[in-house]
Structure formats: C-alpha cells, structure tokens
Amino acid sequence: MHKLNDPKLLKNFSYINGCWHSSASDITVNNPATGKLVTKVSNAGTAETELAVKAAKGAFKAWAGKPANERSVLLRKWFDLIVLNQDDLGRILTLEQGKPLAEAKGEIAYGAAFIDWFSEESKRVYGDTIPAPSSDKRIIVIKQPIGVVAAITPWNFPNAMIARKAAAALAAGCTFVVRPATQTPLSALAMAELAERAGIPAGVFNVVVGDDAHGMGKVLTEHKDVAKFTFTGSTEVGKSLIGQCASTVKKVSMELGGNAPFIVFDDADIDAAVAGALVSKYRNAGQTCVCSNRILVQESVLIEFTEKFVKAVKGLLLGNGLDEGVTIGPMISAQAVADVKRLIDESLSQGAQLALGNSDTGFGESYLAPTVLTGITNDMPIAKNEIFGPVSPIISFKEESEAISIANDTEFGLASYFYSRDIGRIWRVAESLDYGMVGINEGVISNAAAPFGGMKQSGNGREGSKYGLDDYLEIKYLCMGGLDK
Ligand code: NAP
C-alpha cells in the first residue's frame, strides 16, 4: 500500500523486551502532506512504559557485561541493515513527517552515521591512572555504563534524534527505552524491527508509543530504575522534565530549542552566504532546532544579499514530499502553520516588509509558502521566538560589535552561523558567540564526528563525537592502598 520494498518495516505495536505489544486503543498516524491516514499504532501508556523500564533493567547486566567489541559488532549490523533499508525507512519517514523524500533518506543516513560512529567508539572507553599523593597508593579511574537510559524525542527528526541517543547509550553498555513523538512513531518502530534483525538482545532497545506524553514522561523521569534521562524537544517541556528528574537525581541531557543567528558580514562571499542561508533556513520546512532564526546582514551588503536570497528562495519547490523534485514539504500540522502565520502578521503590523511569500499555496492548510521578511528588529516576537517554520526575518546592522550583541541577545544558545573572509574577524566573532555550535562560512554543521549541543537554555550534554559517550558513563575512582608493605 505504501510502496515499501519490505512492508514488514511498517510496525503497529510498541516493542518491549523483544516482543511487539498491542494495547486496547489505537493512535492514528496521518500524512501531513495529505491529512490521510498512514496507519494506526497501538496506544501504549504508563503500564507499558513501566514494562519497558523493567525489561531494560533486566537486560542491563548482560549487555553491560558484553565485551565492547561484541556490542560493536551488533551495532555495526544494525547500521548495515539501516543503510540497506534506507529507501523504505526514508519513505516511512516522509509519510509520517512530511519532509521531501531525498531529505528523509538523508536523515536516515545521518542517523545511521551515529550508529556507525559509536560502534567504533564503544571500543575506546578508556580509563586513567593518576599519580597518587603517597607511595603506598595507586589511583585508577574506570568508566562504566550508567544503567537504564530513558529518552523522549520530537517529531522533526523521527529517526535521527533516536539514533543519536541510542547509538551512544548502547555503545556505552546501557540499555534504552524511548518514547517517540505521538505524530511520528513509525520510524522509531522500524528502527526496533531492524535492531531485532541485527541480533540486539531483547530488552536492550525498547520503543513505547502512546499519546499520554505526561503520564509516560512521568514514568521515564521519575522511575528509580532509570539512571539517565535524555530529551530532545522544546525548552518549555525540557525545563519541566528536568524538574521531574530531580526527585531521583538522574543524570540528564537536554537538546532543546534554538534561536540561531545567521550573520552576513560585508566581506563575505555573498553567493556562498545565500546558499548557506537557504539550506540552513528551509531544510525540513524550517522545522529544525538549528535552522537560522534571524538573518543579520551588514548594511552595505543588505540590498545585494536580500535580492539574491529572495531569488534563491523563489527556486524552492513546495509540495508533497513524495513528489519528484519537491524541495520543501508541508509543516507538521495546520496548527503549526497558524502559529507561524501569527508571527508573520505581528511582524508586518509592527513595520516589517514582506519581500516574499505569505500567500495561499493552493496545497491546503498544512502548507506555508517560503517567506522572507525585511525591516525586522530584534525586539519583535519573530526574532525573540523560535519560528520553526519557513520564514526568514532579515535584520540589518552597522558594526561587527552590534551584530554580536544582537546575536547573543537571546536566552537560547544552540547553533549560530556567520560568513566572513577576514581571518581576524572570524576568530573574534567565533569566540564571542554564546552558542554551542558555530558554522563559519557553512550552513550545514551537524555530523557524527562533531559534538552537537547547546549552551544557555538550549540545553546541556553533547551528542556525537568523542564526547558523546560521556553522557552515558559513570566515572569511578579506585583507590588501591597498602602497596608499600
Ligand atoms: P515538544 O513539544 O517539547 O515535544 C517533544 C517531545 O516531548 C514529544 O515526544 C512530546 O510528546 C513530548 N512531550 C510533550 N509534553 C510532554 C510532557 N509534559 N511530558 C513528557 N513528554 C512530553 O517539542 P516539539 O514541538 O515536538 O519539537 C520541537 C522542539 O524540539 C523545538 O523547540 C526544537 O528546537 C527542539 N529540538 C531540539 C533539538 C536539539 O538537538 N537541540 C533537535 C530537534 C528538535 P507528544 O508528541 O505526544 O506531544
């Protein structure tokens, strides 16, 4: 029905302790491009979430005790199967999330790269020896898996936000329970099917799907057998989940919202800056945490940049992500479109100008035409909030120091970007931006080898890179005494 090479990848049940669990009711998964039903999935709740934690707890000792190279081989098999099924996984992702098929397949490859990366890193959980303060002692540091990891993930990257967490957790020797977003459970369940085929033991990777976000979230954040909680989603929800984790003093990592500045200085290669802004803003219809949220352009190149940028944005092709040539799909829902339209209308009523867009797309209420606004100031709601839609607000500035001050004038600190060819400026600006990630003459910055994460209210912890395992490990210090005798 959905033109999958392997229809068994479309699952309808939660995956707990190596079994597919049905529940009394269903949730519907609809295609944002058409509003039509993709499939129904059994609606799990708090009881199934408890079961999944129990399964992960039961599987922990054996998984943590496996030699790292054996865990590595299993992760590598999982990676191979994901790559082998990239077309189907991409299709499932587009059906439930809406992004263009090429982008969806790109997400599958991106997520898989983290599994590949951490299958290698699992073999490199090195300890330390430290010179002791007295001759009869030795100090040794070992790193051990923290235990059961619970995760909650958003709908904008239904595969990769899980892969980034699960790969590191499993590599470290932890077992894992994830509750994916209600709107996009299918990619998570397809990952579970492939984990099972790869031979990852029962209880190591569990997926519970259900619409009781609050109840299931409470189990995952407050359960005494969950040692670590990892979340990707909005700052607002993240803050409340941190609070819930306090009762059991869990280790927490948070990948939260952003408000990325994209700064174009007068010495930039303007064509490169236009290309970078286009990909950084309009990927996933503007619904990524690292999307440019404010485009800051130096006055002397404002007209040139804006004209070229508007021309480039006009080249995007809006439509159903499964249709050939489409480069920008629907937003996740009609409500999401209405929220972004409100920000556009507020900006226009406060003096901004419409350079492109905000017109009827003719596709339906889940679509928003790519939009460019000029005359924006940093105190407008569109500059203060995470837009999460295909709208570029352009702010002009005079001096470098003014650009930095506008860029940092936000509670967020995830991704930032700037374009310049002056090496002195490049170092000055890179070191002054209060952001966890800085793209310099580059609009796409995330990959498995690099530490992804934010500062300020964008969260804590890092995913990917050699630092990514740390979030799933405990440091244990061994003091060996009595050695002089
Ligand atoms: P969201 O509303 O915070 O939802 C994220 C997840 O949390 C979903 O699974 C949601 O479940 C669940 N949730 C909502 N309320 C909850 C509660 N009270 N208790 C437990 N779980 C709860 O965010 P979103 O709108 O889906 O995602 C967009 C946000 O994610 C943006 O702010 C974006 O910047 C951020 N994001 C950050 C990163 C990063 O790496 N920093 C990456 C991607 C996205 P339901 O689906 O059932 O509502």
Side-chain angles (χ1 to χ4, degrees), residues 371-427:
T371 300
V372 179
L373 297 169
T374 55
I376 297 291
T377 54
N378 206 42
D379 54 0
M380 290 183 184
I382 201 158
K384 291 273 168 227
N385 291 282
E386 187 178 31
I387 305 168
F388 237 57
V391 184
S392 295
I394 297 182
I395 300 174
S396 74
F397 67 90
K398 288 193 173 68
E399 306 290 337
E400 181 184 305
S401 58
E402 186 191 356
I404 292 167
S405 139
I406 295 172
N408 286 340
D409 181 19
T410 167
E411 68 268 28
F412 296 106
L414 190 60
S416 57
Y417 309 85
F418 69 92
Y419 277 65
S420 167
R421 285 178 289 192
D422 176 325
I423 191 69
R425 169 175 275 169
I426 285 176
W427 278 104

Side-chain angles (χ1 to χ4, degrees), residues 47 60 66 106 111 167 197 256 275 290 297 312 372 472:
F60 174 66
K66 260 189 197 308
R197 290 185 199 173
L256 306 176
V290 292
V297 186
V372 179
Y472 300 93

Side-chain angles (χ1 to χ4, degrees), residues 257-263 280-281 288-296 378 382-387 391 393 395 406-408 410 412-418 433 435 437-439 443 445 458:
N259 183 355
F262 186 104
I263 311 171
S280 132
K281 174 74 246 185
T288 88
C289 53
V290 292
C291 273
S292 305
N293 209 55
R294 298 167 290 158
I295 300 186
L296 279 53
N378 206 42
I382 201 158
K384 291 273 168 227
N385 291 282
E386 187 178 31
I387 305 168
V391 184
I395 300 174
I406 295 172
N408 286 340
T410 167
F412 296 106
L414 190 60
S416 57
Y417 309 85
F418 69 92
L433 288 171
Y435 288 83
M437 297 175 283
V438 185
I445 53 177
S458 287

Side-chain angles (χ1 to χ4, degrees), residues 231-440:
F231 175 72
T232 298
S234 62
T235 296
E236 188 191 351
V237 173
K239 282 180 187 174
S240 73
L241 297 177
I242 292 171
Q244 288 173 207
C245 287
S247 64
T248 46
V249 195
K250 285 189 202 329
K251 189 164 175 170
V252 168
S253 45
M254 292 278 147
E255 297 286 352
L256 306 176
N259 183 355
F262 186 104
I263 311 171
V264 183
F265 288 105
D266 55 6
D267 61 291
D269 174 338
I270 300 296
D271 293 332
V274 165
L278 189 74
V279 64
S280 132
K281 174 74 246 185
Y282 292 99
R283 194 162 58 100
N284 201 11
Q287 304 167 112
T288 88
C289 53
V290 292
C291 273
S292 305
N293 209 55
R294 298 167 290 158
I295 300 186
L296 279 53
V297 186
Q298 198 150 14
E299 243 175 35
S300 50
V301 292
L302 181 65
I303 293 175
E304 181 189 358
F305 175 86
T306 307
E307 283 176 1
K308 287 181 168 173
F309 185 59
V310 166
K311 189 170 171 220
V313 177
K314 278 184 184 160
L316 294 171
L317 184 62
L318 186 70
N320 184 327
L322 290 177
D323 290 346
E324 192 66 32
V326 163
T327 48
I328 180 163
M331 292 185 64
I332 191 67
S333 63
Q335 182 58 51
V337 171
D339 291 345
V340 176
K341 275 191 169 163
R342 194 171 339 103
L343 285 173
I344 296 173
D345 292 345
E346 271 169 4
S347 308
L348 294 174
S349 72
Q350 289 175 16
Q353 295 92 48
L354 185 69
L356 181 71
N358 202 22
S359 48
D360 183 14
T361 64
F363 285 109
E365 54 184 11
S366 291
Y367 289 83
L368 184 63
T371 300
V372 179
L373 297 169
T374 55
I376 297 291
T377 54
N378 206 42
D379 54 0
M380 290 183 184
I382 201 158
K384 291 273 168 227
N385 291 282
E386 187 178 31
I387 305 168
F388 237 57
V391 184
S392 295
I394 297 182
I395 300 174
S396 74
F397 67 90
K398 288 193 173 68
E399 306 290 337
E400 181 184 305
S401 58
E402 186 191 356
I404 292 167
S405 139
I406 295 172
N408 286 340
D409 181 19
T410 167
E411 68 268 28
F412 296 106
L414 190 60
S416 57
Y417 309 85
F418 69 92
Y419 277 65
S420 167
R421 285 178 289 192
D422 176 325
I423 191 69
R425 169 175 275 169
I426 285 176
W427 278 104
R428 266 193 318 274
V429 176
E431 289 174 359
S432 304
L433 288 171
D434 297 335
Y435 288 83
M437 297 175 283
V438 185
I440 304 163

